[in-house]
Amino acid sequence: MMTEKKNNTALKVLTGILAVALVALSIYTIKFYNEEKENKEILQKEKAVIEDELNELIVKYDEAIEENEIMDQDLVNARDRISRLLDSVKDNEANLVLISRYRREIGNLKAEKDRLFRVVDSLSAQNQQLTSSLDSTSVALEERTKLSDSLKTTNQSLSTKVDKASRLKVTSLSGGGVIVRNSGKLVENDNNRRVDQIRTCFTLTANDLAEPGEKNMYVQVYNPENELVGDEIVVQHEGGTMVYSAASKVYYENEELDVCILANTIEDRLLEGNYKVYVYNDALLLGTASFSLD
């Protein structure tokens, strides 16, 4: 009889403990569910904010493109990169890793915008200064002013052409996957599961107007998901920070120079589809090309 009473008591205690544990587990489950739901809502809101920022950047570039002719191509290239990033944001489900990458990319794009717009503002200021100077001339010197205006416009045009002519230019730009043999030999391969590195090759053209010497060359490689493939080299330029896949220093002597730059790869980012490569001299975009991996 005593034993049965002890057993009943133990059973009641055990039942009580299980009940408390069940209540605690239910509370934790509900709390976890609510936190998960709240985190998803926060990520969705952050994604919406990023889309708004990218749309705002596109609008600013569209306005700048309409008002400026000299830098049209530079502005168009920058706007197109923003549009590609916006498409990627819209197509992907929000998560902490993607939001972090998009935030980093937006920082790079804003820095590039600030640099380009400073150049545009400088050109606009020069034009305004010329206009004010012309407005201040007297009627008696009208013909001379017209001639002066013509000469200034010609000089500005020549200065712009000389500046563009002195920039480095590339030809034969191409990209593709390679396998690195034990001997060090590189073998082209377009199978994404066998690629060891991404090779970007191009030729710096001969240019007597360019300044000779050591040049910093950079490459960006983007996979079909618009993810940067490579070592993510962060470089601080005068106009802001940019991130590259690979870098190389070359010595340019105003003659044709063949250059190849290898970017390391991460297996998770080697996807099937079309890839884009961008070649820079410091922060100046020199050219772009595309290739595919199967």
Side-chain angles (χ1 to χ4, degrees):
M1 187 69 175
M2 183 64 68
T3 302
E4 184 178 351
K5 186 176 181 180
K6 288 183 179 180
N7 288 340
N8 288 336
T9 301
L11 181 60
K12 289 180 180 180
V13 171
L14 180 60
T15 302
I17 292 173
L18 290 176
V20 171
L22 182 61
V23 170
L25 180 61
S26 299
I27 293 173
Y28 175 78
T29 301
I30 294 172
K31 182 180 179 181
F32 178 79
Y33 172 79
N34 290 334
E35 288 179 351
E36 183 72 12
K37 182 178 179 182
E38 183 179 349
N39 287 337
K40 286 184 178 180
E41 291 176 354
I42 291 173
L43 288 174
Q44 285 299 122
K45 289 180 181 178
E46 181 67 12
K47 179 181 177 182
V49 170
I50 288 175
E51 290 181 11
D52 290 341
E53 289 186 16
L54 290 173
N55 279 314
E56 184 178 347
L57 281 174
I58 291 174
V59 170
K60 289 181 179 179
Y61 271 102
D62 285 338
E63 292 173 351
I65 290 170
E66 289 182 5
E67 297 174 0
N68 296 275
E69 297 180 358
I70 295 176
M71 293 190 62
D72 258 7
Q73 192 56 51
D74 291 333
L75 296 172
V76 169
N77 289 341
R79 182 196 61 189
D80 290 346
R81 288 185 60 198
I82 296 172
S83 296
R84 288 194 297 272
L85 182 59
L86 178 59
D87 291 339
S88 176
V89 174
K90 291 180 178 178
D91 293 341
N92 287 290
E93 187 70 25
N95 62 63
L96 189 58
V97 174
L98 282 178
I99 292 298
S100 177
R101 183 174 71 83
Y102 291 145
R103 271 292 167 206
R104 187 168 62 251
E105 285 296 313
I106 286 178
N108 294 338
L109 292 171
K110 286 184 176 179
E112 184 178 10
K113 177 190 75 69
D114 292 341
R115 179 181 63 80
L116 288 174
F117 279 33
R118 278 198 298 271
V119 177
V120 171
D121 290 342
S122 177
L123 292 174
S124 297
Q126 292 178 26
N127 288 335
Q128 290 177 0
Q129 185 177 1
L130 287 173
T131 301
S132 298
S133 177
L134 292 173
D135 290 341
S136 66
T137 58
S138 66
V139 176
L141 298 176
E142 183 177 354
E143 291 301 322
R144 183 177 297 178
T145 301
K146 290 180 180 179
L147 177 59
S148 176
D149 181 36
S150 176
L151 290 174
K152 288 179 181 178
T153 302
T154 301
N155 287 337
Q156 185 180 34
S157 177
L158 288 174
S159 177
T160 301
K161 289 179 180 179
V162 169
D163 178 61
K164 286 188 176 182
S166 65
R167 297 178 184 176
L168 292 180
K169 296 178 177 61
V170 298
T171 60
S172 306
L173 174 57
S174 64
V178 294
I179 298 174
V180 182
R181 300 296 190 195
N182 292 333
S183 63
K185 181 180 179 181
L186 301 178
V187 180
E188 293 184 3
N189 191 283
D190 58 5
N191 187 329
N192 69 299
R193 288 171 294 181
R194 298 189 60 195
V195 167
D196 295 322
Q197 292 180 318
I198 301 297
R199 180 172 62 182
T200 301
C201 292
F202 53 89
T203 299
L204 289 174
T205 61
N207 188 349
D208 292 334
L209 295 177
E211 183 179 353
E214 190 173 71
K215 305 294 181 183
N216 295 314
M217 306 301 298
Y218 300 100
V219 170
Q220 289 177 328
V221 181
Y222 287 93
N223 69 10
E225 297 295 331
N226 205 34
E227 297 173 322
L228 189 70
V229 178
D231 291 331
E232 296 191 359
I233 301 170
V234 179
V235 180
Q236 181 68 41
H237 297 293
E238 183 179 349
T241 302
M242 294 186 69
V243 183
Y244 304 101
S245 302
S248 178
K249 290 183 181 293
V250 301
Y251 195 85
Y252 180 72
E253 297 180 299
N254 302 100
E255 298 178 352
E256 278 195 359
L257 180 64
D258 294 329
V259 180
C260 283
I261 301 176
L262 294 172
N264 294 320
T265 60
I266 299 175
E267 185 177 353
D268 292 343
R269 294 193 178 182
L270 286 178
L271 311 176
E272 292 185 14
N274 294 323
Y275 287 67
K276 295 284 288 185
V277 294
Y278 300 85
V279 174
Y280 294 83
N281 170 217
D282 290 323
L284 178 65
L285 179 64
L286 300 184
T288 181
S290 60
F291 67 93
S292 298
L293 293 180
D294 300 328

